[in-house]
Amino acid sequence: MASHEIETLTQALSRLPGLGPRSARRAVLHLLKKRETAFDPLLAALASVRERLATCGICGNVDTSDPCAICADPRRDARALCVVEEVSDLWALDRARLFPGRFHVLGGRLSALEGIRPEDLAIDSLIRRIAAGGIDEVVLAMNATLEGQTTAHFIAERIEGYPVRVTQLAHGLPVGGELDYLDEGTLAQALRARRPVA
Amino acid sequence: MASHEIETLTQALSRLPGLGPRSARRAVLHLLKKRETAFDPLLAALASVRERLATCGICGNVDTSDPCAICADPRRDARALCVVEEVSDLWALDRARLFPGRFHVLGGRLSALEGIRPEDLAIDSLIRRIAAGGIDEVVLAMNATLEGQTTAHFIAERIEGYPVRVTQLAHGLPVGGELDYLDEGTLAQALRARRPVA
Ligand SMILES: [Zn+2]
Ligand SMILES: [Zn+2]
């Protein structure tokens, strides 16, 4: 039916997260119909990003410049450093403009199961940033998973001795979370971390 | 946060049907992470299709060649012609290899509301194909909407006098359709078109 090229395009799109074969086909049809308003802008945007794509040599963020826009922004608070597992975590935290400081992307989490060791993560470069000085607080923003927390503890130990405050994200009930829909682990954590009513 | 170029790419993706801002962002992150296995193949596929993209001068299909792969395929039954509203309908019918003949894309449907008149659709070129001979059957595969059926009737009248059999898709219960979930119009149509049990 569709030509080899169109089939290849449909397959490339269908491998994106959130798109299946069906929606990829609809997307391709949309592109073919709206050549000037959809196809050309998408193609130009992809080519433009691809051309400039770079991994930030300071923090590990992916951006179209190195250093990335965050590391290059003088309005950012250079004294606060937020450590995350993945670039997607950095984006999630930065999207809501929740954190005014800078970031450090580990590129994963320690995992015995997957054979991911400390030297596979950007931990040495994190220590070098801290050792260089000028940082007051390191926020360990790992996922609330066993591996994420193992990673956070490992890093906290490596940081001991440097004159920085080490904090981590609070764990507990998600906003809007109803008790009887939450898993036991979250409930236990919320109970352990209970605070006096103000 | 993300650079201007990445923001532009996210927006271009989020305008595809089936993708919202959130999934577009996930798709972009996926592309940035998997540069060799996702980004480059998608960019190459888009560029390759865009370069060759053509509207078939015979049937109105969109393909990477003109005539399109269907019109150029000698194994297709040239005596059967299926008329559809949109390229997406052609693809839907052809995907399942349901129709062994060729197609004709009208490019829409008659609509008083939207001001779409016969001369706005590829009806004259349809009549020319039929008048040229060699076609035994014309299948009117319009949507089962008021406008689709109005268009089908209009075309059926224009074809009168040519030595072709004019048929249209059956209307009735969709396969797997449960009576009490179907709208009245479908039920009425299924009842009107009822057939003796074989
Ligand atoms: Zn950076
Ligand atoms: Zn064609």
Side-chain angles (χ1 to χ4, degrees), chain B residues 156-186:
Chain B
E157 279 181 16
R158 287 283 307 268
I159 299 179
E160 257 178 28
Y162 291 100
V164 294
R165 197 153 53 96
V166 182
T167 59
Q168 66 174 339
L169 298 185
H171 296 167
L173 307 185
V175 174
E178 298 180 62
L179 287 199
D180 54 355
Y181 282 92
L182 288 171
D183 63 291
E184 269 182 43
T186 300

Side-chain angles (χ1 to χ4, degrees), chain B residues 85-176:
Chain B
E85 295 181 20
E86 302 282 4
V87 171
S88 49
D89 303 327
L90 184 165
W91 284 27
L93 281 164
D94 197 53
R95 191 154 53 241
R97 309 215 173 261
L98 294 167
F99 187 70
R102 297 191 173 161
F103 290 90
H104 192 87
V105 179
L106 293 176
R109 75 240 25 103
L110 296 176
S111 168
L113 207 65
E114 297 172 52
I116 299 172
R117 300 152 307 170
E119 55 267 37
D120 298 319
L121 304 178
I123 295 178
D124 284 346
S125 58
L126 171 65
I127 302 300
R128 281 196 299 275
R129 289 181 78 177
I130 295 169
I135 295 172
D136 294 341
E137 180 182 0
V138 175
V139 182
L140 300 176
M142 268 78 258
N143 287 327
T145 59
L146 182 61
E147 293 176 339
Q149 296 308 301
T150 303
T151 309
H153 286 136
F154 179 87
I155 292 175
E157 279 181 16
R158 287 283 307 268
I159 299 179
E160 257 178 28
Y162 291 100
V164 294
R165 197 153 53 96
V166 182
T167 59
Q168 66 174 339
L169 298 185
H171 296 167
L173 307 185
V175 174

Side-chain angles (χ1 to χ4, degrees), chain B residues 55-63 65-72 90 102-103 129:
Chain B
T55 299
C56 177
I58 298 173
C59 76
N61 188 14
V62 174
D63 203 346
S65 60
D66 176 16
C68 74
I70 293 175
C71 287
L90 184 165
R102 297 191 173 161
F103 290 90
R129 289 181 78 177

Side-chain angles (χ1 to χ4, degrees), chain A residues 75-161:
Chain A
R75 292 163 304 183
R76 289 272 178 171
D77 183 359
R79 290 164 308 167
L81 187 65
C82 182
V83 183
V84 294
E85 295 182 19
E86 302 282 2
V87 172
S88 48
D89 302 327
L90 185 165
W91 286 26
L93 281 166
D94 196 54
R95 192 155 51 242
R97 309 212 173 262
L98 293 168
F99 187 71
R102 296 190 175 162
F103 291 91
H104 191 87
V105 180
L106 294 174
R109 73 232 38 96
L110 296 177
S111 168
L113 206 67
E114 296 171 52
I116 298 172
R117 300 153 305 173
E119 55 267 40
D120 299 320
L121 304 179
I123 294 178
D124 284 345
S125 58
L126 170 65
I127 302 299
R128 280 196 299 275
R129 288 181 78 178
I130 295 168
I135 295 174
D136 294 339
E137 180 181 0
V138 174
V139 183
L140 300 176
M142 269 76 257
N143 287 326
T145 60
L146 183 61
E147 294 177 337
Q149 296 309 301
T150 303
T151 309
H153 288 134
F154 180 87
I155 291 175
E157 280 181 17
R158 287 284 308 267
I159 298 179
E160 258 177 29

Side-chain angles (χ1 to χ4, degrees), chain A residues 1-35:
Chain A
M1 59 147 224
S3 74
H4 174 65
E5 289 92 351
I6 292 177
E7 206 46 52
T8 303
L9 172 58
T10 309
Q11 280 170 22
L13 275 172
S14 74
R15 280 192 289 263
L16 292 180
L19 276 174
R22 199 188 170 84
S23 43
R25 216 174 282 119
R26 282 178 58 218
V28 167
L29 265 164
H30 177 80
L31 291 172
L32 299 186
K33 272 192 202 168
K34 312 273 182 188
R35 298 180 203 178

